[in-house]
Amino acid sequence: MTPPYQIRADYDARTVVVYQAYSSAIADAALRAGRFVAPFSFERMTWIKPSFRWLMHRSNWARKPGQERILAVRMTRDGWEQALARAVHTTAGPAAVAQAAVHLQWDPERSLRSAALNHYSIQVGIGRSLVRTFAEEWAVGLTDLTPQVRRAAALVRDGRAAQAQRLIPAERVYPLSRSLEAHLSAVHTKKPGARAGREG
């Protein structure tokens, strides 16, 4: 049985993949440059999610306005873990949330048909003070997954979930240091899913 709070991700020895949904204007500019550039906003929080299925639920398989493009952002594990170490849950006290450089929440993981599961998926909001660091230092690769998402969505709609699953990036348990485990254990005692993060 999957533990209720557990980070699952696509990662290698140096990097971890997180997913974001954007408008075509933001996605195309970023893909051309190979990094985030205007009209990507460096002035507001950006939310990153290691769960592909959760973002499919959130973006309605890239069909929501302004979320028509799905990017896989490969970022350094060092950056990811720095963000986790600085994270404050969105249900913490107003002063703590307002001052936090990074926000965190746990939301029910989703099936391919968007049914809520009995365990949670993490999402992390990189605050304005760290957005440029995320975009220019932590993010080391961008991949447009939109065509893959559209194929998978069509298969799900046609009742061919097993075939759709083959297009879903594999995710496995992400290893955490003891200090990060302790920090996240304290964080996920908060009520999950209290506030939905914005895309991008």
Side-chain angles (χ1 to χ4, degrees), residues 12-62:
D12 58 25
R14 194 177 67 87
T15 62
V16 60
V17 177
V18 294
Y19 303 100
Q20 296 188 290
Y22 285 110
S23 67
S24 289
I26 293 174
D28 285 338
L31 290 163
R32 280 195 301 268
R35 60 188 177 87
F36 288 111
V37 295
F40 174 88
S41 176
F42 293 92
E43 301 302 320
R44 72 174 180 89
M45 180 171 289
T46 190
W47 287 86
I48 56 178
K49 305 96 179 166
S51 169
F52 181 86
R53 288 181 304 175
W54 193 90
L55 186 57
M56 294 307 95
H57 163 73
R58 178 71 175 171
S59 68
N60 193 20
W61 291 87

mmCIF file of all heavy atoms in Angstrom, residues 12-62:
data_model
loop_
_atom_site.group_PDB
_atom_site.id
_atom_site.type_symbol
_atom_site.label_atom_id
_atom_site.label_comp_id
_atom_site.label_asym_id
_atom_site.label_seq_id
_atom_site.Cartn_x
_atom_site.Cartn_y
_atom_site.Cartn_z
ATOM 1 N N ASP A 12 17.071 11.210 -11.936
ATOM 2 C CA ASP A 12 18.310 10.454 -12.112
ATOM 3 C C ASP A 12 19.288 10.909 -11.032
ATOM 4 O O ASP A 12 18.873 11.532 -10.036
ATOM 5 C CB ASP A 12 18.875 10.618 -13.531
ATOM 6 C CG ASP A 12 19.152 12.064 -13.916
ATOM 7 O OD1 ASP A 12 19.384 12.906 -13.015
ATOM 8 O OD2 ASP A 12 19.163 12.370 -15.128
ATOM 9 N N ALA A 13 20.558 10.640 -11.207
ATOM 10 C CA ALA A 13 21.525 10.923 -10.144
ATOM 11 C C ALA A 13 21.653 12.410 -9.842
ATOM 12 O O ALA A 13 21.973 12.798 -8.720
ATOM 13 C CB ALA A 13 22.899 10.352 -10.526
ATOM 14 N N ARG A 14 21.384 13.251 -10.838
ATOM 15 C CA ARG A 14 21.631 14.683 -10.664
ATOM 16 C C ARG A 14 20.387 15.549 -10.784
ATOM 17 O O ARG A 14 20.351 16.665 -10.258
ATOM 18 C CB ARG A 14 22.659 15.142 -11.716
ATOM 19 C CG ARG A 14 23.282 16.498 -11.484
ATOM 20 C CD ARG A 14 24.332 16.821 -12.535
ATOM 21 N NE ARG A 14 23.752 16.996 -13.861
ATOM 22 C CZ ARG A 14 23.270 18.152 -14.323
ATOM 23 N NH1 ARG A 14 23.278 19.216 -13.558
ATOM 24 N NH2 ARG A 14 22.773 18.236 -15.543
ATOM 25 N N THR A 15 19.358 15.055 -11.457
ATOM 26 C CA THR A 15 18.204 15.899 -11.745
ATOM 27 C C THR A 15 16.885 15.207 -11.413
ATOM 28 O O THR A 15 16.825 13.993 -11.255
ATOM 29 C CB THR A 15 18.179 16.303 -13.240
ATOM 30 O OG1 THR A 15 18.052 15.118 -14.044
ATOM 31 C CG2 THR A 15 19.443 17.066 -13.636
ATOM 32 N N VAL A 16 15.828 16.022 -11.343
ATOM 33 C CA VAL A 16 14.472 15.538 -11.109
ATOM 34 C C VAL A 16 13.557 16.281 -12.072
ATOM 35 O O VAL A 16 13.804 17.446 -12.406
ATOM 36 C CB VAL A 16 14.049 15.747 -9.637
ATOM 37 C CG1 VAL A 16 14.083 17.205 -9.233
ATOM 38 C CG2 VAL A 16 12.676 15.148 -9.361
ATOM 39 N N VAL A 17 12.510 15.601 -12.534
ATOM 40 C CA VAL A 17 11.579 16.216 -13.480
ATOM 41 C C VAL A 17 10.327 16.678 -12.742
ATOM 42 O O VAL A 17 9.726 15.930 -11.968
ATOM 43 C CB VAL A 17 11.181 15.225 -14.593
ATOM 44 C CG1 VAL A 17 10.154 15.861 -15.533
ATOM 45 C CG2 VAL A 17 12.418 14.799 -15.385
ATOM 46 N N VAL A 18 9.952 17.943 -12.998
ATOM 47 C CA VAL A 18 8.687 18.476 -12.501
ATOM 48 C C VAL A 18 7.895 18.968 -13.715
ATOM 49 O O VAL A 18 8.467 19.228 -14.776
ATOM 50 C CB VAL A 18 8.900 19.608 -11.471
ATOM 51 C CG1 VAL A 18 9.558 19.064 -10.214
ATOM 52 C CG2 VAL A 18 9.723 20.749 -12.066
ATOM 53 N N TYR A 19 6.589 19.092 -13.535
ATOM 54 C CA TYR A 19 5.713 19.421 -14.665
ATOM 55 C C TYR A 19 4.984 20.729 -14.414
ATOM 56 O O TYR A 19 4.620 21.056 -13.277
ATOM 57 C CB TYR A 19 4.705 18.293 -14.896
ATOM 58 C CG TYR A 19 5.387 16.968 -15.144
ATOM 59 C CD1 TYR A 19 5.516 16.036 -14.121
ATOM 60 C CD2 TYR A 19 5.959 16.676 -16.379
ATOM 61 C CE1 TYR A 19 6.181 14.840 -14.324
ATOM 62 C CE2 TYR A 19 6.623 15.483 -16.586
ATOM 63 C CZ TYR A 19 6.735 14.571 -15.562
ATOM 64 O OH TYR A 19 7.404 13.384 -15.762
ATOM 65 N N GLN A 20 4.781 21.474 -15.510
ATOM 66 C CA GLN A 20 4.050 22.726 -15.447
ATOM 67 C C GLN A 20 3.172 22.871 -16.691
ATOM 68 O O GLN A 20 3.521 22.364 -17.769
ATOM 69 C CB GLN A 20 5.003 23.924 -15.352
ATOM 70 C CG GLN A 20 5.830 23.931 -14.068
ATOM 71 C CD GLN A 20 6.624 25.209 -13.913
ATOM 72 O OE1 GLN A 20 7.576 25.429 -14.650
ATOM 73 N NE2 GLN A 20 6.245 26.052 -12.976
ATOM 74 N N ALA A 21 2.064 23.580 -16.533
ATOM 75 C CA ALA A 21 1.169 23.856 -17.656
ATOM 76 C C ALA A 21 1.198 25.346 -17.957
ATOM 77 O O ALA A 21 1.083 26.167 -17.045
ATOM 78 C CB ALA A 21 -0.256 23.424 -17.309
ATOM 79 N N TYR A 22 1.335 25.683 -19.235
ATOM 80 C CA TYR A 22 1.465 27.080 -19.638
ATOM 81 C C TYR A 22 0.628 27.371 -20.868
ATOM 82 O O TYR A 22 0.181 26.465 -21.585
ATOM 83 C CB TYR A 22 2.927 27.392 -19.977
ATOM 84 C CG TYR A 22 3.829 27.521 -18.783
ATOM 85 C CD1 TYR A 22 4.793 26.554 -18.503
ATOM 86 C CD2 TYR A 22 3.729 28.610 -17.933
ATOM 87 C CE1 TYR A 22 5.631 26.672 -17.409
ATOM 88 C CE2 TYR A 22 4.556 28.741 -16.833
ATOM 89 C CZ TYR A 22 5.516 27.768 -16.576
ATOM 90 O OH TYR A 22 6.328 27.891 -15.486
ATOM 91 N N SER A 23 0.495 28.656 -21.159
ATOM 92 C CA SER A 23 -0.049 29.081 -22.437
ATOM 93 C C SER A 23 0.985 28.815 -23.522
ATOM 94 O O SER A 23 2.187 28.663 -23.241
ATOM 95 C CB SER A 23 -0.367 30.579 -22.412
ATOM 96 O OG SER A 23 0.842 31.324 -22.302
ATOM 97 N N SER A 24 0.541 28.792 -24.771
ATOM 98 C CA SER A 24 1.479 28.575 -25.878
ATOM 99 C C SER A 24 2.505 29.689 -25.966
ATOM 100 O O SER A 24 3.672 29.451 -26.303
ATOM 101 C CB SER A 24 0.716 28.459 -27.201
ATOM 102 O OG SER A 24 0.004 27.245 -27.249
ATOM 103 N N ALA A 25 2.111 30.924 -25.660
ATOM 104 C CA ALA A 25 3.053 32.046 -25.747
ATOM 105 C C ALA A 25 4.234 31.838 -24.805
ATOM 106 O O ALA A 25 5.401 32.018 -25.188
ATOM 107 C CB ALA A 25 2.338 33.356 -25.430
ATOM 108 N N ILE A 26 3.965 31.437 -23.574
ATOM 109 C CA ILE A 26 5.046 31.217 -22.605
ATOM 110 C C ILE A 26 5.854 29.991 -22.990
ATOM 111 O O ILE A 26 7.093 30.024 -22.977
ATOM 112 C CB ILE A 26 4.465 31.068 -21.183
ATOM 113 C CG1 ILE A 26 3.842 32.394 -20.724
ATOM 114 C CG2 ILE A 26 5.546 30.608 -20.202
ATOM 115 C CD1 ILE A 26 3.124 32.305 -19.387
ATOM 116 N N ALA A 27 5.177 28.902 -23.353
ATOM 117 C CA ALA A 27 5.882 27.654 -23.677
ATOM 118 C C ALA A 27 6.769 27.821 -24.899
ATOM 119 O O ALA A 27 7.932 27.394 -24.898
ATOM 120 C CB ALA A 27 4.878 26.530 -23.892
ATOM 121 N N ASP A 28 6.251 28.432 -25.959
ATOM 122 C CA ASP A 28 7.039 28.579 -27.192
ATOM 123 C C ASP A 28 8.279 29.434 -26.968
ATOM 124 O O ASP A 28 9.363 29.106 -27.453
ATOM 125 C CB ASP A 28 6.175 29.185 -28.301
ATOM 126 C CG ASP A 28 5.187 28.191 -28.885
ATOM 127 O OD1 ASP A 28 5.431 26.967 -28.758
ATOM 128 O OD2 ASP A 28 4.183 28.624 -29.464
ATOM 129 N N ALA A 29 8.127 30.533 -26.234
ATOM 130 C CA ALA A 29 9.284 31.401 -25.969
ATOM 131 C C ALA A 29 10.340 30.653 -25.164
ATOM 132 O O ALA A 29 11.540 30.749 -25.447
ATOM 133 C CB ALA A 29 8.829 32.661 -25.231
ATOM 134 N N ALA A 30 9.908 29.904 -24.163
ATOM 135 C CA ALA A 30 10.849 29.149 -23.324
ATOM 136 C C ALA A 30 11.560 28.064 -24.130
ATOM 137 O O ALA A 30 12.778 27.876 -24.000
ATOM 138 C CB ALA A 30 10.114 28.549 -22.135
ATOM 139 N N LEU A 31 10.808 27.363 -24.957
ATOM 140 C CA LEU A 31 11.407 26.279 -25.737
ATOM 141 C C LEU A 31 12.387 26.824 -26.774
ATOM 142 O O LEU A 31 13.441 26.219 -27.018
ATOM 143 C CB LEU A 31 10.316 25.458 -26.405
ATOM 144 C CG LEU A 31 9.471 24.617 -25.443
ATOM 145 C CD1 LEU A 31 8.182 24.161 -26.104
ATOM 146 C CD2 LEU A 31 10.266 23.427 -24.917
ATOM 147 N N ARG A 32 12.076 27.960 -27.376
ATOM 148 C CA ARG A 32 13.009 28.569 -28.337
ATOM 149 C C ARG A 32 14.315 28.974 -27.662
ATOM 150 O O ARG A 32 15.401 28.779 -28.205
ATOM 151 C CB ARG A 32 12.367 29.803 -28.998
ATOM 152 C CG ARG A 32 11.398 29.486 -30.119
ATOM 153 C CD ARG A 32 11.090 30.717 -30.941
ATOM 154 N NE ARG A 32 10.507 31.791 -30.139
ATOM 155 C CZ ARG A 32 9.199 31.969 -29.963
ATOM 156 N NH1 ARG A 32 8.337 31.148 -30.538
ATOM 157 N NH2 ARG A 32 8.747 32.969 -29.234
ATOM 158 N N ALA A 33 14.191 29.533 -26.464
ATOM 159 C CA ALA A 33 15.377 30.012 -25.752
ATOM 160 C C ALA A 33 16.106 28.908 -24.999
ATOM 161 O O ALA A 33 17.273 29.075 -24.634
ATOM 162 C CB ALA A 33 14.976 31.121 -24.774
ATOM 163 N N GLY A 34 15.412 27.797 -24.747
ATOM 164 C CA GLY A 34 16.003 26.729 -23.940
ATOM 165 C C GLY A 34 15.999 27.038 -22.461
ATOM 166 O O GLY A 34 16.640 26.354 -21.660
ATOM 167 N N ARG A 35 15.247 28.062 -22.068
ATOM 168 C CA ARG A 35 15.129 28.466 -20.667
ATOM 169 C C ARG A 35 13.917 29.382 -20.551
ATOM 170 O O ARG A 35 13.372 29.828 -21.569
ATOM 171 C CB ARG A 35 16.394 29.196 -20.192
ATOM 172 C CG ARG A 35 16.714 30.448 -20.976
ATOM 173 C CD ARG A 35 18.072 31.029 -20.616
ATOM 174 N NE ARG A 35 18.389 32.189 -21.425
ATOM 175 C CZ ARG A 35 18.033 33.440 -21.120
ATOM 176 N NH1 ARG A 35 17.352 33.669 -20.012
ATOM 177 N NH2 ARG A 35 18.350 34.441 -21.906
ATOM 178 N N PHE A 36 13.502 29.675 -19.347
ATOM 179 C CA PHE A 36 12.345 30.537 -19.164
ATOM 180 C C PHE A 36 12.708 31.991 -19.439
ATOM 181 O O PHE A 36 13.664 32.522 -18.874
ATOM 182 C CB PHE A 36 11.781 30.395 -17.752
ATOM 183 C CG PHE A 36 11.081 29.089 -17.523
ATOM 184 C CD1 PHE A 36 11.627 28.128 -16.682
ATOM 185 C CD2 PHE A 36 9.872 28.815 -18.155
ATOM 186 C CE1 PHE A 36 10.980 26.918 -16.470
ATOM 187 C CE2 PHE A 36 9.219 27.604 -17.953
ATOM 188 C CZ PHE A 36 9.774 26.658 -17.115
ATOM 189 N N VAL A 37 11.946 32.595 -20.326
ATOM 190 C CA VAL A 37 12.116 34.005 -20.675
ATOM 191 C C VAL A 37 10.719 34.616 -20.778
ATOM 192 O O VAL A 37 9.715 33.910 -20.787
ATOM 193 C CB VAL A 37 12.853 34.176 -22.022
ATOM 194 C CG1 VAL A 37 14.298 33.664 -21.936
ATOM 195 C CG2 VAL A 37 12.108 33.453 -23.156
ATOM 196 N N ALA A 38 10.641 35.958 -20.870
ATOM 197 C CA ALA A 38 9.351 36.623 -21.049
ATOM 198 C C ALA A 38 8.632 36.023 -22.275
ATOM 199 O O ALA A 38 9.305 35.684 -23.257
ATOM 200 C CB ALA A 38 9.570 38.116 -21.228
ATOM 201 N N PRO A 39 7.333 35.828 -22.166
ATOM 202 C CA PRO A 39 6.396 36.349 -21.164
ATOM 203 C C PRO A 39 6.255 35.541 -19.873
ATOM 204 O O PRO A 39 5.331 35.800 -19.102
ATOM 205 C CB PRO A 39 5.068 36.372 -21.924
ATOM 206 C CG PRO A 39 5.168 35.244 -22.889
ATOM 207 C CD PRO A 39 6.613 35.221 -23.325
ATOM 208 N N PHE A 40 7.121 34.566 -19.621
ATOM 209 C CA PHE A 40 7.160 33.940 -18.300
ATOM 210 C C PHE A 40 7.355 35.045 -17.262
ATOM 211 O O PHE A 40 8.179 35.940 -17.444
ATOM 212 C CB PHE A 40 8.311 32.938 -18.231
ATOM 213 C CG PHE A 40 8.533 32.334 -16.863
ATOM 214 C CD1 PHE A 40 7.861 31.188 -16.474
ATOM 215 C CD2 PHE A 40 9.422 32.912 -15.959
ATOM 216 C CE1 PHE A 40 8.070 30.620 -15.220
ATOM 217 C CE2 PHE A 40 9.641 32.354 -14.709
ATOM 218 C CZ PHE A 40 8.951 31.206 -14.342
ATOM 219 N N SER A 41 6.605 34.981 -16.170
ATOM 220 C CA SER A 41 6.693 36.026 -15.148
ATOM 221 C C SER A 41 7.704 35.665 -14.067
ATOM 222 O O SER A 41 7.623 34.598 -13.463
ATOM 223 C CB SER A 41 5.324 36.256 -14.498
ATOM 224 O OG SER A 41 5.441 37.194 -13.449
ATOM 225 N N PHE A 42 8.632 36.574 -13.859
ATOM 226 C CA PHE A 42 9.586 36.435 -12.764
ATOM 227 C C PHE A 42 9.089 37.156 -11.511
ATOM 228 O O PHE A 42 9.822 37.274 -10.536
ATOM 229 C CB PHE A 42 10.949 36.992 -13.181
ATOM 230 C CG PHE A 42 11.627 36.186 -14.259
ATOM 231 C CD1 PHE A 42 11.445 36.500 -15.598
ATOM 232 C CD2 PHE A 42 12.431 35.113 -13.933
ATOM 233 C CE1 PHE A 42 12.060 35.764 -16.598
ATOM 234 C CE2 PHE A 42 13.048 34.357 -14.924
ATOM 235 C CZ PHE A 42 12.858 34.692 -16.261
ATOM 236 N N GLU A 43 7.855 37.636 -11.560
ATOM 237 C CA GLU A 43 7.327 38.469 -10.476
ATOM 238 C C GLU A 43 6.244 37.780 -9.664
ATOM 239 O O GLU A 43 5.648 38.405 -8.788
ATOM 240 C CB GLU A 43 6.761 39.780 -11.059
ATOM 241 C CG GLU A 43 7.780 40.600 -11.829
ATOM 242 C CD GLU A 43 8.980 40.982 -10.972
ATOM 243 O OE1 GLU A 43 8.776 41.309 -9.781
ATOM 244 O OE2 GLU A 43 10.109 40.945 -11.498
ATOM 245 N N ARG A 44 5.953 36.510 -9.963
ATOM 246 C CA ARG A 44 4.954 35.808 -9.165
ATOM 247 C C ARG A 44 5.393 34.375 -8.921
ATOM 248 O O ARG A 44 6.286 33.856 -9.590
ATOM 249 C CB ARG A 44 3.575 35.849 -9.824
ATOM 250 C CG ARG A 44 3.432 34.985 -11.068
ATOM 251 C CD ARG A 44 1.984 35.001 -11.534
ATOM 252 N NE ARG A 44 1.742 34.206 -12.733
ATOM 253 C CZ ARG A 44 1.428 32.910 -12.714
ATOM 254 N NH1 ARG A 44 1.371 32.249 -11.581
ATOM 255 N NH2 ARG A 44 1.191 32.274 -13.851
ATOM 256 N N MET A 45 4.746 33.749 -7.948
ATOM 257 C CA MET A 45 5.064 32.365 -7.593
ATOM 258 C C MET A 45 4.802 31.442 -8.775
ATOM 259 O O MET A 45 3.860 31.622 -9.532
ATOM 260 C CB MET A 45 4.221 31.946 -6.390
ATOM 261 C CG MET A 45 4.446 30.525 -5.926
ATOM 262 S SD MET A 45 3.621 30.193 -4.342
ATOM 263 C CE MET A 45 4.644 31.145 -3.221
ATOM 264 N N THR A 46 5.671 30.439 -8.936
ATOM 265 C CA THR A 46 5.459 29.413 -9.949
ATOM 266 C C THR A 46 5.380 28.057 -9.250
ATOM 267 O O THR A 46 6.198 27.749 -8.384
ATOM 268 C CB THR A 46 6.568 29.447 -11.020
ATOM 269 O OG1 THR A 46 6.209 28.593 -12.110
ATOM 270 C CG2 THR A 46 7.935 29.017 -10.483
ATOM 271 N N TRP A 47 4.368 27.260 -9.610
ATOM 272 C CA TRP A 47 4.123 25.976 -8.957
ATOM 273 C C TRP A 47 4.688 24.845 -9.798
ATOM 274 O O TRP A 47 4.490 24.809 -11.009
ATOM 275 C CB TRP A 47 2.628 25.766 -8.740
ATOM 276 C CG TRP A 47 2.081 26.623 -7.644
ATOM 277 C CD1 TRP A 47 1.636 27.916 -7.760
ATOM 278 C CD2 TRP A 47 1.948 26.277 -6.259
ATOM 279 N NE1 TRP A 47 1.232 28.384 -6.529
ATOM 280 C CE2 TRP A 47 1.405 27.401 -5.593
ATOM 281 C CE3 TRP A 47 2.230 25.122 -5.524
ATOM 282 C CZ2 TRP A 47 1.143 27.394 -4.222
ATOM 283 C CZ3 TRP A 47 1.967 25.119 -4.164
ATOM 284 C CH2 TRP A 47 1.436 26.241 -3.531
ATOM 285 N N ILE A 48 5.382 23.927 -9.143
ATOM 286 C CA ILE A 48 5.982 22.780 -9.821
ATOM 287 C C ILE A 48 5.475 21.495 -9.166
ATOM 288 O O ILE A 48 5.262 21.444 -7.956
ATOM 289 C CB ILE A 48 7.525 22.841 -9.804
ATOM 290 C CG1 ILE A 48 8.061 22.948 -8.374
ATOM 291 C CG2 ILE A 48 8.025 24.004 -10.653
ATOM 292 C CD1 ILE A 48 9.592 22.974 -8.275
ATOM 293 N N LYS A 49 5.261 20.468 -9.995
ATOM 294 C CA LYS A 49 4.669 19.216 -9.526
ATOM 295 C C LYS A 49 5.403 18.042 -10.131
ATOM 296 O O LYS A 49 5.520 17.948 -11.355
ATOM 297 C CB LYS A 49 3.195 19.119 -9.933
ATOM 298 C CG LYS A 49 2.324 20.289 -9.502
ATOM 299 C CD LYS A 49 2.175 21.305 -10.601
ATOM 300 C CE LYS A 49 1.279 22.468 -10.160
ATOM 301 N NZ LYS A 49 1.368 23.625 -11.083
ATOM 302 N N PRO A 50 5.900 17.101 -9.334
ATOM 303 C CA PRO A 50 6.552 15.913 -9.892
ATOM 304 C C PRO A 50 5.566 14.839 -10.351
ATOM 305 O O PRO A 50 5.975 13.866 -10.973
ATOM 306 C CB PRO A 50 7.410 15.406 -8.735
ATOM 307 C CG PRO A 50 6.696 15.862 -7.515
ATOM 308 C CD PRO A 50 6.054 17.172 -7.870
ATOM 309 N N SER A 51 4.275 15.018 -10.059
ATOM 310 C CA SER A 51 3.263 14.036 -10.467
ATOM 311 C C SER A 51 2.659 14.437 -11.806
ATOM 312 O O SER A 51 1.923 15.427 -11.890
ATOM 313 C CB SER A 51 2.151 13.923 -9.422
ATOM 314 O OG SER A 51 1.066 13.174 -9.954
ATOM 315 N N PHE A 52 2.917 13.646 -12.838
ATOM 316 C CA PHE A 52 2.358 13.891 -14.162
ATOM 317 C C PHE A 52 0.835 13.777 -14.138
ATOM 318 O O PHE A 52 0.124 14.621 -14.679
ATOM 319 C CB PHE A 52 2.962 12.890 -15.141
ATOM 320 C CG PHE A 52 2.490 13.048 -16.561
ATOM 321 C CD1 PHE A 52 3.118 13.939 -17.411
ATOM 322 C CD2 PHE A 52 1.444 12.284 -17.042
ATOM 323 C CE1 PHE A 52 2.688 14.089 -18.721
ATOM 324 C CE2 PHE A 52 1.013 12.421 -18.352
ATOM 325 C CZ PHE A 52 1.637 13.332 -19.191
ATOM 326 N N ARG A 53 0.313 12.745 -13.489
ATOM 327 C CA ARG A 53 -1.138 12.536 -13.486
ATOM 328 C C ARG A 53 -1.864 13.657 -12.745
ATOM 329 O O ARG A 53 -2.965 14.056 -13.136
ATOM 330 C CB ARG A 53 -1.484 11.178 -12.875
ATOM 331 C CG ARG A 53 -1.121 10.008 -13.769
ATOM 332 C CD ARG A 53 -1.496 8.688 -13.128
ATOM 333 N NE ARG A 53 -0.874 8.533 -11.818
ATOM 334 C CZ ARG A 53 -1.106 7.526 -10.997
ATOM 335 N NH1 ARG A 53 -1.981 6.594 -11.326
ATOM 336 N NH2 ARG A 53 -0.498 7.445 -9.840
ATOM 337 N N TRP A 54 -1.252 14.167 -11.682
ATOM 338 C CA TRP A 54 -1.903 15.260 -10.963
ATOM 339 C C TRP A 54 -2.012 16.493 -11.855
ATOM 340 O O TRP A 54 -3.051 17.158 -11.889
ATOM 341 C CB TRP A 54 -1.135 15.607 -9.681
ATOM 342 C CG TRP A 54 -1.966 16.504 -8.801
ATOM 343 C CD1 TRP A 54 -2.849 16.122 -7.834
ATOM 344 C CD2 TRP A 54 -2.029 17.933 -8.859
ATOM 345 N NE1 TRP A 54 -3.451 17.229 -7.274
ATOM 346 C CE2 TRP A 54 -2.969 18.346 -7.885
ATOM 347 C CE3 TRP A 54 -1.395 18.896 -9.630
ATOM 348 C CZ2 TRP A 54 -3.282 19.685 -7.664
ATOM 349 C CZ3 TRP A 54 -1.710 20.247 -9.417
ATOM 350 C CH2 TRP A 54 -2.636 20.624 -8.442
ATOM 351 N N LEU A 55 -0.962 16.785 -12.615
ATOM 352 C CA LEU A 55 -1.036 17.940 -13.505
ATOM 353 C C LEU A 55 -2.027 17.699 -14.645
ATOM 354 O O LEU A 55 -2.677 18.629 -15.113
ATOM 355 C CB LEU A 55 0.338 18.294 -14.067
ATOM 356 C CG LEU A 55 0.365 19.588 -14.893
ATOM 357 C CD1 LEU A 55 -0.146 20.779 -14.086
ATOM 358 C CD2 LEU A 55 1.748 19.870 -15.425
ATOM 359 N N MET A 56 -2.172 16.450 -15.078
ATOM 360 C CA MET A 56 -3.183 16.165 -16.090
ATOM 361 C C MET A 56 -4.583 16.464 -15.538
ATOM 362 O O MET A 56 -5.426 17.028 -16.237
ATOM 363 C CB MET A 56 -3.105 14.706 -16.552
ATOM 364 C CG MET A 56 -1.828 14.356 -17.302
ATOM 365 S SD MET A 56 -1.456 15.444 -18.699
ATOM 366 C CE MET A 56 -0.334 16.636 -17.946
ATOM 367 N N HIS A 57 -4.809 16.110 -14.287
ATOM 368 C CA HIS A 57 -6.082 16.440 -13.644
ATOM 369 C C HIS A 57 -6.252 17.948 -13.560
ATOM 370 O O HIS A 57 -7.300 18.492 -13.917
ATOM 371 C CB HIS A 57 -6.129 15.809 -12.246
ATOM 372 C CG HIS A 57 -7.178 16.390 -11.357
ATOM 373 N ND1 HIS A 57 -8.519 16.138 -11.530
ATOM 374 C CD2 HIS A 57 -7.075 17.242 -10.294
ATOM 375 C CE1 HIS A 57 -9.215 16.792 -10.604
ATOM 376 N NE2 HIS A 57 -8.370 17.473 -9.859
ATOM 377 N N ARG A 58 -5.212 18.635 -13.118
ATOM 378 C CA ARG A 58 -5.291 20.084 -12.900
ATOM 379 C C ARG A 58 -5.525 20.847 -14.208
ATOM 380 O O ARG A 58 -6.287 21.813 -14.242
ATOM 381 C CB ARG A 58 -3.994 20.557 -12.233
ATOM 382 C CG ARG A 58 -3.910 22.043 -11.976
ATOM 383 C CD ARG A 58 -4.842 22.465 -10.887
ATOM 384 N NE ARG A 58 -4.651 23.872 -10.569
ATOM 385 C CZ ARG A 58 -5.431 24.568 -9.791
ATOM 386 N NH1 ARG A 58 -6.462 24.001 -9.231
ATOM 387 N NH2 ARG A 58 -5.202 25.842 -9.547
ATOM 388 N N SER A 59 -4.874 20.421 -15.266
ATOM 389 C CA SER A 59 -4.959 21.131 -16.554
ATOM 390 C C SER A 59 -6.028 20.547 -17.481
ATOM 391 O O SER A 59 -6.180 21.020 -18.605
ATOM 392 C CB SER A 59 -3.606 21.077 -17.267
ATOM 393 O OG SER A 59 -3.308 19.753 -17.686
ATOM 394 N N ASN A 60 -6.747 19.512 -17.002
ATOM 395 C CA ASN A 60 -7.711 18.788 -17.837
ATOM 396 C C ASN A 60 -7.042 18.311 -19.125
ATOM 397 O O ASN A 60 -7.548 18.528 -20.220
ATOM 398 C CB ASN A 60 -8.940 19.648 -18.142
ATOM 399 C CG ASN A 60 -10.079 18.840 -18.738
ATOM 400 O OD1 ASN A 60 -10.128 17.617 -18.602
ATOM 401 N ND2 ASN A 60 -10.993 19.515 -19.416
ATOM 402 N N TRP A 61 -5.908 17.663 -18.939
ATOM 403 C CA TRP A 61 -5.148 17.118 -20.065
ATOM 404 C C TRP A 61 -4.846 18.211 -21.109
ATOM 405 O O TRP A 61 -5.069 18.051 -22.301
ATOM 406 C CB TRP A 61 -5.862 15.927 -20.691
ATOM 407 C CG TRP A 61 -5.888 14.723 -19.793
ATOM 408 C CD1 TRP A 61 -6.816 14.438 -18.830
ATOM 409 C CD2 TRP A 61 -4.937 13.653 -19.742
ATOM 410 N NE1 TRP A 61 -6.499 13.262 -18.193
ATOM 411 C CE2 TRP A 61 -5.352 12.748 -18.739
ATOM 412 C CE3 TRP A 61 -3.768 13.366 -20.472
ATOM 413 C CZ2 TRP A 61 -4.655 11.586 -18.417
ATOM 414 C CZ3 TRP A 61 -3.075 12.197 -20.161
ATOM 415 C CH2 TRP A 61 -3.511 11.334 -19.144
ATOM 416 N N ALA A 62 -4.342 19.339 -20.584
ATOM 417 C CA ALA A 62 -3.914 20.464 -21.434
ATOM 418 C C ALA A 62 -5.067 21.087 -22.213
ATOM 419 O O ALA A 62 -4.858 21.639 -23.292
ATOM 420 C CB ALA A 62 -2.797 20.041 -22.382
#
